[in-house]
Amino acid sequence: MTTEQNGRLRLPLLLDGATGTEYMKAGMPSGVCVEQWAAEHPDVVARVARGYADAGSGIVYAPTFLANAGNLKGYGLSEQVIPLNTKIVSTVKQALAGRDVLVAGDMSTTGLMCEPFGETEFVHLIGIYAEQASALADAGADLLVIETMSALSECRAAVIAARQTGLPIFLTMTVDAEGRTMWGDDVLASMIVLQDMGISAFGLNCSQGPDDMVPLFERIAPYAKLPLIAKPNAGEPPLSPVQFCDKCARLMRRGVKIIGGCCGTTSEYVSALRHMIDSFDIARVNIAPADYDILAAGRNVYYLDNDLEYSKPITCEIDMADALLEASHESCDAVLIHLDTPDDGYRFSLNAHMVDMPVAFESESLEALDAALLHYNGKALVVSTSCELEREELEEVAARYGAVVL
């Protein structure tokens, strides 16, 4: 993050509102590739962007939402990732030239399912996101927003790819009232995994109105190390801009510092939020931090103390079901996975969904450890006491993936 970017990301921050519904009002047919339509209608894209900037948005999203090779393939446009992202970001940048407004390159789901539940390899997923992230950065995006995410695996892939650009990264997920995504990932566990992987802010968007988000932010705020984002829908039935704004103030009192609107919101909603934010004293919001020793996470959050007991070391194979089942019946705090080669990490990743307890890795190979942490869909533990590698080396590898060295 540059000094200029850091200075322009002063909190609280106001985002924009919906774009898709605004484009439909302007004549975009249903069922088309939104990103292709946006590239072909720069006048509409520019008008909507200026409308949000005029309403007070400090960050406007370029409508590059699904402009990745995974989604564009369905329209026969997989070779158009760079041209589409470049065109759309350039349009928004030109429309907002001379204004003190940041332009976010927008990224979202690929529509692909990662192994072992689908056929897409995790490293391939990273490559898809890296292509789009690079195109957005090269086109002049000031930051990257990864939004409306429903799978932790895709979140991790997108973050690993996006952080290669060096731009600030905002990430928001979409969850149900219980805080679970459509793939069963828990919002608190996901935040704990992602907030140590290099993102600048974490939060929620879409799927719910502001009232429904309140208990979710009450749950995650005590564990947040980063600014929290809320971009709720207008509600069902839709709230008025004033009603929406009043309810968003409740979110800010629960720790949200970056706010905007999603489906159904317009520049009128953003204008109301601008007035609310300008009079909101964020310094008076005080969220007591959660009390814990060690946190690990996968599909759930695991609270640990400093005196851990591990399972017997488990070697990695293609089919680890019996060994992992046996470990789950042991009287232990974490399952201990022994790694010899980089392939071991991949093998374990195909079996990791069978583990609902903290995962710890031990290895004499930094390459094997890196591969395991890359593929593991959670916040793992790295055991330093059982190997001859220097702790500093282990911490350097662990830091790339938010793992904890013990």
Side-chain angles (χ1 to χ4, degrees):
M1 185 187 304
T2 67
T3 302
E4 179 185 4
Q5 288 166 333
N6 188 50
R8 295 167 73 188
L9 289 175
R10 291 189 298 270
L11 301 172
L13 275 170
L14 178 58
L15 306 175
D16 59 10
T19 52
T21 48
E22 295 301 290
Y23 297 162
M24 292 180 72
K25 292 176 186 176
M28 183 181 74
S30 61
V32 301
C33 174
V34 175
E35 293 71 27
Q36 182 183 36
W37 189 92
E40 294 172 350
H41 295 80
D43 55 330
V44 176
V45 172
R47 184 174 74 247
V48 172
R50 284 194 294 266
Y52 283 127
D54 290 342
S57 293
I59 297 177
V60 171
Y61 290 16
T64 52
F65 187 64
L66 297 178
N68 60 66
N71 277 293
L72 293 178
K73 184 177 181 180
Y75 298 97
L77 298 170
S78 58
E79 301 300 318
Q80 297 300 308
V81 173
I82 294 176
L84 285 176
N85 283 279
T86 301
K87 172 67 174 178
I88 295 170
V89 171
S90 298
T91 296
V92 177
K93 292 282 287 187
Q94 291 169 12
L96 302 181
R99 300 172 184 246
D100 189 22
V101 178
L102 296 173
V103 174
D106 196 2
M107 302 167 63
S108 190
T109 180
T110 62
L112 302 173
M113 190 177 295
C114 194
E115 292 180 318
F117 304 108
E119 298 181 355
T120 304
E121 293 184 4
F122 186 68
V123 291
H124 180 61
L125 207 56
I126 295 173
I128 290 175
Y129 281 121
E131 181 184 27
Q132 185 185 16
S134 177
L136 292 169
D138 290 345
D142 298 298
L143 70 155
L144 299 177
V145 170
I146 303 164
E147 65 163 335
T148 324
M149 301 298 281
S150 58
L152 177 58
S153 56
E154 276 204 309
C155 291
R156 292 185 69 253
V159 169
I160 290 169
R163 68 191 186 188
Q164 296 173 19
T165 67
L167 294 176
I169 303 167
F170 289 3
L171 188 144
T172 55
M173 302 183 75
T174 181
V175 300
D176 62 19
E178 302 302 317
R180 292 275 177 184
T181 71
M182 63 182 293
W183 297 113
D185 294 310
D186 175 67
V187 63
L188 177 57
S190 297
M191 183 186 74
I192 288 169
V193 171
L194 296 165
Q195 68 180 354
D196 288 324
M197 288 186 64
I199 63 175
S200 301
F202 175 88
L204 302 172
N205 80 288
C206 202
S207 72
Q208 298 173 331
D211 273 346
D212 299 315
M213 287 187 175
V214 169
L216 299 175
F217 280 104
E218 287 178 337
R219 181 177 170 225
I220 69 175
Y223 297 87
K225 301 177 182 178
L226 304 169
L228 292 175
I229 309 167
K231 214 169 189 278
N233 290 340
E236 187 59 45
L239 300 166
S240 70
V242 172
Q243 292 171 326
F244 181 81
C245 179
D246 288 343
K247 293 179 183 298
C248 283
R250 294 182 64 203
L251 293 174
M252 295 189 68
R253 288 193 288 271
R254 268 72 176 180
V256 169
K257 296 181 179 179
I258 304 172
I259 200 157
C262 204
C263 302
T265 61
T266 64
S267 58
E268 286 77 17
Y269 287 75
V270 172
S271 180
L273 286 173
R274 178 78 273 165
H275 289 296
M276 182 270 287
I277 288 175
D278 286 345
S279 61
F280 190 92
D281 187 359
I282 200 168
R284 297 184 63 182
V285 177
N286 184 23
I287 306 296
D291 183 20
Y292 59 87
D293 291 327
I294 303 169
L295 285 181
R299 289 174 68 87
N300 295 296
V301 181
Y302 309 110
Y303 302 86
L304 305 169
D305 58 34
N306 289 298
D307 187 21
L308 296 181
E309 292 189 14
Y310 302 102
S311 71
K312 293 180 293 186
I314 299 174
T315 56
C316 295
E317 303 174 10
I318 291 296
D319 184 358
M320 301 173 64
D322 290 343
L324 293 174
L325 180 62
E326 181 181 344
S328 69
H329 292 153
E330 291 184 35
S331 178
C332 61
D333 301 304
V335 59
L336 181 59
I337 306 299
H338 179 78
L339 308 165
D340 288 317
T341 71
D343 287 342
D344 284 345
Y346 172 70
R347 294 188 186 102
F348 174 67
S349 72
L350 300 179
N351 294 271
H353 62 281
M354 294 183 279
V355 180
D356 189 12
M357 62 188 305
V359 169
F361 293 117
E362 66 170 12
S363 182
E364 296 291 348
S365 165
L366 291 176
E367 292 77 12
L369 180 61
D370 188 281
L373 294 174
L374 171 72
H375 285 93
Y376 176 58
N377 196 35
K379 184 180 183 71
L381 310 174
V382 176
V383 180
S384 64
T385 55
S386 58
C387 74
E388 296 183 3
L389 294 171
E390 295 293 332
R391 186 180 179 91
E392 291 77 10
E393 295 178 301
L394 295 173
E395 289 178 342
E396 182 179 350
V397 174
R400 296 174 199 153
Y401 309 103
V404 180
V405 179
L406 300 175

